[in-house]
């Protein structure tokens, strides 16, 4: 099956694959044949997806990865190549780039909403949100790209009632303390996964004191969002970066 958009109208490109330059010199007879890399070179090749569900799953998986790594200007052809599908199948089963971006965001929001739907404790919910976003930072990175490059794509259409903020506002045991607390919490939830390494380096926090820092930050945000007083810390706790007795503190 030839690559290319059957409609002749790609979002990003002219519909023609880039020519592959020939090798500068013929390969020696003893050399093994070189396979053309597709997707991530370090990964073993995946079987080509077949059928609508497999195609959508592969496209959305690679779109989420590439959009978070390279931003919303990544060509659809690159996503198609990484997913192992014909470019036209993206148009057929998902749509144009704006539709693909919206679908990626909607799936992430629905996944987050599912994790929150049985919770009524705003602090517990925020704790899980931060740890989940830190473990899987792709959506936080994509949101950062969209905030910095607003002309690259239309804002994804996401139902406001399905957003995490709406779920938190419905919680009552305990509820969020207010809008300012929510603003601070969401700044951390979406910013920490993107800036985590840079902030830890900027503050010169040594490796031995970084263990468990995500959990401690999540506990702090859980108290902030509900207005609970900070838990007392053990002044002898070496893991506490605010310990005044710590010789590493100035």
């Amino acid at each position: 099956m030839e690559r290319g958009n059957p409609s002749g109208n790609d979002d990003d490109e002219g519909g023609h694959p880039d020519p592959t330059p020939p090798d500068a010199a013929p390969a020696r007879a003893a050399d093994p044949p070189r396979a053309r890399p597709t997707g991530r070179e370090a990964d073993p090749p995946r079987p080509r997806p077949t059928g609508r569900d497999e195609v959508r799953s592969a496209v959305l998986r690679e779109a989420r990865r590439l959009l978070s790594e390279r931003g919303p200007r990544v060509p659809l052809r690159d996503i198609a190549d990484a997913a192992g599908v014909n470019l036209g199948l993206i148009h057929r089963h998902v749509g144009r780039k704006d539709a693909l971006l919206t679908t990626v965001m909607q799936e992430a929001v629905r996944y987050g909403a599912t994790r929150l739907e049985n919770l009524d404790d705003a602090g517990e919910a925020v704790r899980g949100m931060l740890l989940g976003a830190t473990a899987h930072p792709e959506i936080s990175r994509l949101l950062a790209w969209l905030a910095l490059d607003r002309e690259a794509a239309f804002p994804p259409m996401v139902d406001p009632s399905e957003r995490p903020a709406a779920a938190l506002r419905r919680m009552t045991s305990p509820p969020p303390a207010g809008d300012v607390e929510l603003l601070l919490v969401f700044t951390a939830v979406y910013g920490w996964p993107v800036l985590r390494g840079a902030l830890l380096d900027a503050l010169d926090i040594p490796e031995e004191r970084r263990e468990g820092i995500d959990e401690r930050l999540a506990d702090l945000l859980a108290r902030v969002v509900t207005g609970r007083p900070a838990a007392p810390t053990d002044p002898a706790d070496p893991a506490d970066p605010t310990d005044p007795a710590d010789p590493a503190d100035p």
Side-chain angles (χ1 to χ4, degrees):
M1 180 182 297
E2 294 183 359
R3 294 190 183 277
N5 183 359
S7 65
N9 181 20
D10 186 12
D11 294 27
D12 316 286
E13 304 167 49
H16 299 288
D18 294 334
T20 302
D23 294 335
R28 293 172 298 176
D31 289 343
R34 294 178 299 168
R36 183 178 179 181
T38 58
R40 288 167 286 186
E41 294 184 9
D43 291 348
R46 296 175 181 268
R48 291 180 65 87
T50 58
R52 179 181 182 276
D53 292 343
E54 286 190 13
V55 167
R56 277 181 61 88
S57 177
V59 167
L60 293 176
R61 179 187 66 245
E62 296 302 326
R64 177 172 175 150
R65 179 179 67 85
L66 290 175
L67 287 166
S68 72
E69 291 176 357
R70 297 165 54 186
R73 295 185 187 272
V74 62
L76 278 181
R77 185 175 301 282
D78 289 4
I79 296 174
D81 288 345
V85 303
N86 183 281
L87 178 61
L89 293 178
I90 295 183
H91 291 278
R92 181 184 306 170
H93 295 306
V94 182
R96 298 171 68 86
K97 184 186 285 184
D98 291 332
L100 177 59
L101 179 58
T102 293
T103 302
V104 168
M105 293 300 300
Q106 286 176 339
E107 289 211 342
V109 168
R110 292 190 188 109
Y111 174 75
T114 300
R115 298 187 63 181
L116 297 177
E117 63 183 2
N118 294 321
L119 296 178
D120 198 37
D121 182 332
E124 181 184 353
V126 164
R127 188 179 193 281
M129 288 169 58
L130 181 86
L131 295 178
T134 303
H136 304 283
E138 296 90 352
I139 295 302
S140 296
R141 291 174 181 162
L142 178 53
L143 287 172
W145 277 108
L146 291 172
L148 294 171
D149 193 358
R150 293 180 178 272
E151 297 181 356
F154 292 105
M157 301 298 294
V158 178
D159 186 346
S161 66
E162 294 183 347
R163 293 174 180 170
L168 286 175
R169 285 193 171 102
R170 290 192 291 266
M171 297 181 183
T172 60
S173 245
D179 287 341
V180 172
E181 287 79 3
L182 283 174
L183 283 170
L184 179 59
V185 161
F186 278 99
T187 299
V189 166
Y190 293 126
W192 176 248
V194 178
L195 299 174
R196 181 182 186 277
L199 290 174
L200 291 173
D201 291 343
L203 293 175
D204 293 325
I205 297 178
E207 289 295 332
E208 62 271 16
R209 290 173 57 190
R210 297 186 184 190
E211 183 177 355
I213 202 164
D214 299 321
E215 289 76 9
R216 298 203 301 276
L217 180 58
D219 290 340
L220 175 61
L221 290 178
R223 294 194 297 270
V224 167
V225 76
T226 58
R228 295 172 182 168
T233 59
D234 181 355
D237 181 5
D240 183 4
T242 63
D243 180 5
D246 191 331
D249 284 341

